[in-house]
Amino acid sequence: SSGNNAEYGYGYRQGVKLIDRINLTTFQATNGSPPAQLGDHLYQATPLPQILKLTPHKIKLARSRCGNLAAVESKLNYKFKEPLYLLEALTHASFEELDACYQRLEFLGDAVLDVLVVFHAFNKKYEYDQGQLSNLMSAMVCNTTLSKVSTKLQLHKSVLYDSPVLYSTLARFYSNFSESELEEWCNDLSLDRVFIDKVDDSIDDDEISTINLDNKIVETPKILGDLLESVIGAIYFGQRRRFGYGMESNMAMVRTFLR
């Protein structure tokens, strides 16, 4: 673990040194900069999540909803020091009560996930060329793969939303599976087997991404992959003072589909 933290920290330090040279940052990374200084730079440069910018009344209301997050943390095998990060990661834009949603954390989590997958593929698949690595990464982070992991973690059962369309989208998707088929679908990360043979044309294309594999159809709601990325962003954000630990905390979960 400590080795990985050092590698991530070193990589970040070199990146900061490079962008310093072309004047894209005011942080001067030198070889003599202590690790704590690097962590402080990351911490200070990272804006607060939306949910911590709310009024005291709204924050109090948000905290009253955090009691239901223990089951999610158990599935993640990760305990948030600030549960509001996880709450924001599981709040859809339609849930106006909190004036916060997962989209910014999803944006952050998407980037963190890309770094982890690239790091893994580059080190584990040394025989692959650039094209093969790109194809591997695309398969690892496609919405179908992320949706399987998201479903296995049951993130869809904890998302806060107030949208009949989203409710219908999720209900229709999961109604296509028996319990055993859903478990098998989640565990099969090879992307060469699916279990849905029918398509409901009444579902909005913006809510569903359709993938045809072996002449069968799997319909995967985009929100499932988005939720996983937002949770990854929340985990990273919670460790942002210690860059390496934030990446390593996510790596433990991401390893479930880096095969």
Side-chain angles (χ1 to χ4, degrees):
S1 174
S2 59
N4 285 334
N5 292 334
E7 290 172 356
Y8 289 128
Y10 176 80
Y12 179 82
R13 185 185 300 279
Q14 299 312 304
V16 170
K17 287 174 67 177
L18 174 62
I19 59 178
D20 274 346
R21 293 193 187 105
I22 54 177
N23 299 319
L24 289 181
T25 177
T26 58
F27 179 70
Q28 299 301 312
T30 65
N31 291 330
S33 299
Q37 198 173 81
L38 179 64
D40 287 342
H41 166 65
L42 278 166
Y43 183 80
Q44 294 166 8
T46 307
L48 288 174
Q50 287 178 308
I51 205 162
L52 291 184
K53 297 179 181 178
L54 301 180
T55 65
H57 173 73
K58 290 281 189 177
I59 290 178
K60 183 178 180 180
L61 180 62
R63 290 198 183 281
S64 71
R65 291 188 169 274
C66 289
N68 299 323
L69 299 178
V72 181
E73 291 179 319
S74 178
K75 287 284 185 181
L76 293 171
N77 194 28
Y78 181 83
K79 180 70 174 177
F80 282 83
K81 293 181 180 179
E82 175 49 86
L84 287 180
Y85 296 162
L86 179 57
L87 187 69
E88 181 174 327
L90 295 173
T91 301
H92 187 258
S94 64
F95 194 77
E96 298 179 353
E97 177 183 305
L98 295 183
D99 293 332
C101 74
Y102 64 68
Q103 291 173 338
R104 284 178 59 85
L105 287 176
E106 175 205 342
F107 176 80
L108 175 62
D110 177 70
V112 171
L113 180 60
D114 282 351
V115 170
L116 292 175
V117 170
V118 167
F119 189 82
H120 172 85
F122 189 83
N123 283 279
K124 299 295 184 181
K125 301 296 183 181
Y126 55 86
E127 73 278 15
Y128 281 19
D129 61 25
Q130 185 269 343
Q132 291 172 311
L133 288 172
S134 294
N135 290 337
L136 177 62
M137 179 176 175
S138 295
M140 285 179 168
V141 300
C142 76
N143 193 58
T144 300
T145 303
L146 300 186
S147 295
K148 291 178 179 183
V149 179
S150 180
T151 297
K152 195 168 186 178
L153 294 171
Q154 299 184 2
L155 299 181
H156 60 288
K157 294 185 177 181
S158 298
V159 62
L160 297 175
Y161 64 93
D162 186 14
S163 168
V165 173
L166 180 55
Y167 174 84
S168 177
T169 296
L170 292 172
R172 287 172 178 169
F173 174 69
Y174 287 112
S175 69
N176 286 287
F177 296 92
S178 68
E179 184 175 345
S180 61
E181 285 176 337
L182 184 61
E183 182 178 0
E184 188 175 355
W185 182 75
C186 290
N187 290 331
D188 183 1
L189 299 175
S190 63
L191 294 182
D192 61 3
R193 293 182 62 201
V194 293
F195 300 97
I196 302 175
D197 294 307
K198 57 188 177 182
V199 181
D200 187 340
D201 294 330
S202 66
I203 299 177
D204 192 328
D205 288 340
D206 291 336
E207 297 290 338
I208 295 289
S209 58
T210 302
I211 301 173
N212 191 315
L213 297 172
D214 297 334
N215 298 317
K216 289 191 176 182
I217 299 296
V218 58
E219 301 168 338
T220 310
K222 184 177 181 299
I223 187 175
L224 297 179
D226 292 348
L227 286 174
L228 182 64
E229 289 177 336
S230 64
V231 167
I232 288 173
I235 292 174
Y236 169 78
F237 201 96
Q239 296 280 5
R240 68 194 188 282
R241 188 180 282 277
R242 298 182 299 172
F243 177 81
Y245 287 95
M247 301 298 277
E248 183 62 17
S249 296
N250 271 305
M251 194 64 187
M253 177 175 62
V254 172
R255 283 193 185 101
T256 61
F257 59 98
L258 293 183
R259 297 178 181 176

